[in-house]
Amino acid sequence: MDVLLNEDEEMIRDGVRRFFDAECSPDRVRGIEDGGARTDPELWRQLAELGWLGLALPSVYGGGEAPFTQLTVLFEEAGRALAPVPLHPHVVTALALAEAVGRGECGPLAATLVSEACVGDSLLTWAWSERLPGMGPETIELSATADGNGWRLNGHKGMVEAFEIAGHCLVAARTQTGGSANGGLTLLLVAPNAPGVSAVARRTLAGDFQSEVHFDNVYVDGDGLVGRVDEGWDLARPMLQRAMVLNCAMIVGATRRAAERAFDYAKERHAFGHPIGSFQAIQHTCADMITWVDGAELLTREAAWHIAQGSDAGLAAAAAKAFTNERCQAVLREANQIHGGYAQVREYDQQLWYRRAAAWSMRLGTSMEHRRAVAQALEL
Amino acid sequence: MDFGFSEENEAFRAEIRAFIAENVSPEIVQEMHDGTQGAGIGPLTKDLIHKIGQRGWIGMSWPEEYGGRDADIIDQYIFEEELARARVPLNLGNFIEQAPAIMNAGTEAQKQYFLPRLVRGDVTFALGYTEPSGGTDLASLKTRAVADGDDFVINGQKVFTTRAESSSHIYLMARTDPEAPKHRGISIFLVPMDTPGITVRPLWTLPGGRTNEVFLEDVRVPKESMLGAENEGWNIGASALNLGRAGARRYCIYVSPFEDLLKYLQTDDLGRDIARDPVVRDKVAELYCEAQVARLFTMRSLSMVRRGQNPPYEISSEKIWGPEFQVRTTEAASQILGPYHQLWEGEAAPNGGSFPRQYVNAMVSTFGHGSTQVMRTAIARRGLGLPRE
């Protein structure tokens, strides 16, 4: 037991931070958002070259086969830097495909995509939630009906990241109705340009885009199947857990940076003849901020550790997400309060961290939903 | 990052559990409980402490030359955790809290005398820090120690001196140089409680336990009873205080009301009915998440100490989060159980009436051993480098 970063994890943290400090300035982040771009292709190319897109993917496909804990550290740093690239959907989808490949539960397409994902040749994303804000399997209504060797998809997905620029999207569909909510789900790979697919991209609080995607009798052939028919939950459950933990890591990374900016500001900004950081009201707020973000980080890392161990991370991931969503929002709020009027000004950088970390906390399940899962896991 | 315990750790945990099952009877627990209510340490408890000492479990992470067994600090954590989980009201941590300071600053004679006796439970310290005029502003203490030949003569008063009535010694902070800046004129003395001039008066607390006032009137002690150099007492004491705020025992105190509440809602007929309410479930789940943070803060402090670091702010975070979580839990439990929560005794009292006791006990955690406000100031200044003025 040693909950601090080990040498390998420190190396990842330091290396990734050095890279982003040099390559991913707030101006660059701002430029991507202001230009309405979906990604930063040059940054993406560099991440691929450094081997970070495939950090935790199997080495036979060109990945680094690093433990999930190291990947979590990478995501903390990507969040800290507000890296304007679709790292989260890409890695979450690639890991799910790699798991299916490892289980021998998919065709050759998935294996090819994992190889391409490592070098950044193919951008991957996934589509889960529909109308309701929750992430439970009961929210999946998009239907897939068998048609020859493949399926026909009808329905819609609500919030899909990087959909228009993705090569493939892993879509959760219902192949069987009735029975339990967990049963009857199937995961299928769909090309965003397939006939019958239409998407509308919408700007978010984070300044990025999420697409509402409609499927009108879209055909997916047998090679698009990932995992087993009707038993997609087997793959989806660990995929959601990984997605939640990596999302928490990004929130924690960005929130810590927002807090550090507030601490620095409190040392420099003077009022009534003193730096405001000398006032107890500010000092005690800062003490709470570091305590809350540290708590979120430890919960997130413990959940990551469970995943790396191959043990069930359901309870740990739900606890991390429920806590991180709310406590990190509170840290961001206090960081704004310390900055005062400047926090609301667009040309001042603080808002870049605030809007993104806040928006990320609204994705992948609400705190209420995750606490419901916690209560259930505790057999209340 | 490694959040798991090794096979050796788990084997040790099993050993402790077996020991508790075999040696801790309800009669002993009752006697120990009475002990915290002012009855002193009874014969069954003394026997149990002796058995624990024989196995080398008190001070087990100390060097062997001082009576420890050089064990991993994690084993110490597991030992304290298991004892607390079994709700054994035996605070062995208090026996040895001052030992690291004696190891660091003591003379060879002091180490040889105190450390083996601490391990055996033959020497126990009451903590003589807080005074009527100041606890949080500890450095402003007024108790005076004046050199007189080969002795010091001590006059003053201490308060909230828990276990002064049953301890063999008091770990006493006194001012030896009234002209120096307030942090620089303080020394520490290791004084037997039976020294003439010491008077102990009980102060009974809300949970039913006892603490004390200690009056010091012309208490004459030899110069050899001073720990460390004259006027260096502040640095010796402050470091011990920081490390003394971490550990499994405190973490278990913070989370025990939550664990009792959870168990009641999971297993009791009435509890299960109450726990059907989605609002209650949401609250309990929120508390669960917060309890994990309390646990992880303790594991973090432990990891840092194990790497030889003296955590600059992390222990203070632990000492804010844990106690305030404990208070939040008891207040939430009071509204989850409603009228049942107030019952101190009787068959209808959930969990044998432990809840109201925990309710009034929780407040002690947020001001005992350093108030949460002082902890916040310490984090801001020491941890984040915020300016004094």
Side-chain angles (χ1 to χ4, degrees):
Chain A
M1 192 283 288
D2 183 331
V3 305
L4 310 174
L5 298 188
N6 64 28
E7 261 179 51
D8 290 342
E9 290 154 358
E10 277 179 2
M11 253 170 61
I12 292 274
R13 181 196 60 195
D14 296 345
V16 176
R17 188 172 298 184
R18 256 196 316 276
F19 169 77
F20 280 129
D21 280 349
E23 301 293 336
C24 188
S25 68
D27 282 349
R28 185 161 180 170
V29 173
R30 191 185 279 279
I32 295 295
E33 179 180 346
D34 290 351
R38 303 301 198 257
T39 184
D40 183 328
E42 176 57 19
L43 197 62
W44 190 251
R45 190 188 59 74
Q46 286 173 298
L47 291 175
E49 270 178 19
L50 287 160
W52 290 341
L53 296 184
L55 182 69
L57 291 169
S59 54
V60 284
Y61 300 106
E65 210 156 324
F68 190 77
T69 40
Q70 288 185 26
L71 185 66
T72 302
V73 173
L74 170 70
F75 270 72
E76 285 175 11
E77 293 304 316
R80 180 183 177 89
L82 309 177
V85 288
L87 191 63
H88 187 274
H90 181 73
V91 170
V92 166
T93 311
L95 284 171
L97 296 186
E99 186 172 354
V101 172
R103 293 182 185 185
E105 292 177 355
C106 58
L109 174 61
T112 307
L113 291 178
V114 174
S115 294
E116 292 177 3
C118 289
V119 289
D121 283 352
S122 168
L123 176 63
L124 299 172
T125 191
W126 58 303
W128 182 268
S129 61
E130 298 179 8
R131 180 171 153 267
L132 290 169
M135 298 296 291
E138 72 283 355
T139 63
I140 307 294
E141 292 177 0
L142 180 106
S143 82
T145 46
D147 181 358
N149 189 31
W151 289 268
R152 291 278 170 188
L153 300 188
N154 283 286
H156 92 287
K157 289 292 177 186
M159 310 281 169
V160 188
E161 286 187 68
F163 186 74
E164 306 138 293
I165 55 171
H168 281 85
C169 179
L170 187 63
V171 176
R174 194 158 286 289
T175 33
Q176 202 180 65
T177 51
S180 79
N182 299 354
L185 290 185
T186 302
L187 302 181
L188 299 166
L189 281 165
V190 180
N193 59 3
V197 175
S198 59
V200 186
R202 296 173 302 198
R203 203 52 108 158
T204 76
L205 174 65
D208 63 359
F209 293 85
Q210 295 210 326
S211 295
E212 174 158 350
V213 184
H214 289 270
F215 299 80
D216 183 12
N217 225 24
V218 175
Y219 183 71
V220 181
D221 76 18
D223 197 24
L225 174 65
V226 176
R228 293 192 305 266
V229 179
D230 293 339
E231 293 172 21
W233 182 241
D234 278 359
L235 270 182
R237 189 166 184 278
M239 173 168 75
L240 288 172
Q241 288 172 7
R242 287 190 291 261
M244 281 156 58
V245 171
L246 294 177
N247 163 272
C248 285
M250 289 173 64
I251 297 170
V252 164
T255 303
R256 183 178 295 284
R257 183 75 189 95
E260 288 170 0
R261 289 176 54 88
F263 304 152
D264 289 343
Y265 184 79
K267 290 173 194 171
E268 291 157 13
R269 169 78 180 180
H270 280 64
F272 308 106
H274 299 274
I276 62 170
S278 69
F279 302 141
Q280 257 186 354
I282 301 286
Q283 290 192 344
H284 288 195
T285 298
C286 291
D288 283 336
M289 289 161 69
I290 196 75
T291 301
W292 297 340
V293 74
D294 282 0
E297 181 182 273
L298 284 162
L299 285 170
T300 299
R301 288 179 177 178
E302 184 170 48
W305 177 80
H306 278 295
I307 290 173
Q309 293 291 108
S311 51
D312 184 71
L315 176 57
K321 186 73 174 114
F323 186 90
T324 301
N325 285 353
E326 294 186 348
R327 281 299 98 193
C328 284
Q329 278 200 16
V331 174
L332 295 163
R333 172 225 305 153
E334 299 292 13
N336 287 343
Q337 180 68 17
I338 288 169
H339 278 94
Y342 291 106
Q344 67 189 323
V345 175
R346 282 197 171 270
E347 68 184 59
Y348 194 80
D349 283 342
Q350 187 66 16
Q351 52 91 8
L352 296 175
W353 279 271
Y354 167 54
R355 281 186 295 115
R356 281 167 182 76
W360 296 340
S361 78
M362 300 164 198
R363 301 175 185 176
L364 292 165
T366 64
S367 289
M368 284 85 170
E369 175 182 10
H370 291 303
R371 283 199 290 268
R372 205 183 312 132
V374 167
Q376 199 173 349
L378 294 175
E379 295 178 1
L380 277 180
Chain B
M1 56 186 97
D2 179 1
F3 290 80
F5 294 100
S6 67
E7 272 179 36
E8 290 80 10
N9 293 149
E10 292 301 345
F12 180 68
R13 189 187 294 279
E15 189 184 341
I16 299 299
R17 281 187 183 165
F19 174 83
I20 290 171
E22 196 176 319
N23 293 287
V24 182
S25 63
E27 292 76 35
I28 297 184
V29 172
Q30 186 59 47
E31 188 192 89
M32 286 188 281
H33 181 72
D34 294 345
T36 66
Q37 311 288 301
I41 299 177
L44 298 174
T45 308
K46 275 193 180 137
D47 182 53
L48 180 68
I49 293 169
H50 185 67
K51 280 181 188 161
I52 291 172
Q54 265 182 338
R55 283 163 177 76
W57 291 341
I58 303 177
M60 71 177 91
S61 60
W62 304 356
E64 276 177 35
E65 55 173 316
Y66 299 131
R69 52 183 220 181
D70 256 329
D72 192 331
I73 190 173
I74 292 174
D75 280 347
Q76 179 101 43
Y77 170 93
I78 288 171
F79 174 74
E80 291 176 16
E81 187 181 27
E82 287 307 316
L83 222 54
R85 280 271 145 67
R87 300 288 181 264
V88 179
L90 182 64
N91 185 356
L92 292 166
N94 270 337
F95 289 18
I96 57 168
E97 206 165 311
Q98 282 70 43
I102 294 174
M103 274 183 234
N104 288 335
T107 61
E108 200 47 45
Q110 285 170 332
K111 290 181 200 174
Q112 295 298 340
Y113 179 82
F114 282 105
L115 296 173
R117 285 173 176 78
L118 281 168
V119 168
R120 290 198 303 265
D122 292 342
V123 163
T124 52
F125 280 108
L127 197 57
Y129 280 7
T130 300
E131 301 190 356
S133 62
T136 292
D137 181 15
L138 185 58
S140 70
L141 59 86
K142 294 188 169 64
T143 293
R144 279 282 277 129
V146 180
D148 180 23
D150 290 337
D151 299 332
F152 277 96
V153 177
I154 303 173
N155 279 285
Q157 189 196 335
K158 298 289 172 181
V159 72
F160 309 129
T161 321
T162 307
R163 294 178 312 281
E165 80 282 9
S166 59
S167 296
S168 67
H169 287 70
I170 183 165
Y171 188 90
L172 190 71
M173 251 191 195
R175 188 164 301 286
T176 36
D177 183 356
E179 306 304 321
K182 65 178 187 174
H183 288 86
R184 302 228 177 95
I186 294 170
S187 302
I188 290 176
F189 296 90
L190 309 176
V191 181
M193 282 302 292
D194 58 6
T195 310
I198 299 180
T199 316
V200 177
R201 194 181 85 84
L203 293 171
W204 296 99
T205 68
L206 283 184
R210 172 179 174 168
T211 186
N212 302 285
E213 292 176 300
V214 174
F215 300 91
L216 305 148
E217 205 180 339
D218 291 331
V219 177
R220 184 171 285 273
V221 298
K223 282 192 167 160
E224 294 76 55
S225 65
M226 184 185 284
L227 178 65
E230 188 168 342
N231 299 327
E232 287 296 318
W234 180 258
N235 293 331
I236 298 167
S239 151
L241 259 185
N242 190 31
L243 296 173
R245 290 183 182 118
R249 192 184 65 79
R250 285 183 191 281
Y251 146 64
C252 288
I253 291 172
Y254 307 148
V255 302
S256 63
F258 173 72
E259 290 175 348
D260 287 352
L261 173 69
L262 182 62
K263 196 171 162 204
Y264 181 73
L265 296 176
Q266 285 169 330
T267 57
D268 186 87
D269 283 347
L270 175 61
R272 293 189 66 82
D273 284 345
I274 291 171
R276 289 208 189 94
D277 182 347
V279 179
V280 169
R281 298 169 73 85
D282 186 74
K283 190 70 202 175
V284 173
E286 182 181 20
L287 293 171
Y288 171 84
C289 300
E290 295 183 0
Q292 304 322 301
V293 173
R295 174 177 56 82
L296 290 168
F297 278 158
T298 298
M299 288 171 80
R300 177 176 65 171
S301 301
L302 207 64
S303 302
M304 295 181 83
V305 171
R306 199 153 163 266
R307 286 191 185 192
Q309 306 166 2
N310 188 358
Y313 77 87
E314 289 80 356
I315 289 177
S316 298
S317 277
E318 182 183 344
K319 179 67 179 62
I320 293 169
W321 184 262
E324 291 185 351
F325 166 72
Q326 186 185 356
V327 170
R328 282 198 296 279
T329 304
T330 55
E331 289 177 358
S334 80
Q335 298 309 307
I336 289 170
L337 301 178
Y340 290 97
H341 190 280
Q342 64 191 324
L343 295 179
W344 200 271
E345 58 188 15
E347 233 167 67
N351 211 25
S354 73
F355 289 111
R357 236 182 301 280
Q358 286 170 333
Y359 184 84
V360 292
N361 209 20
M363 73 163 107
V364 180
S365 291
T366 52
F367 49 65
H369 229 89
S371 77
T372 48
Q373 288 89 353
V374 168
M375 295 295 117
R376 284 187 166 87
T377 300
I379 293 173
R381 290 186 186 161
R382 264 211 313 274
L384 307 178
L386 292 179
R388 282 183 170 269
E389 54 192 33

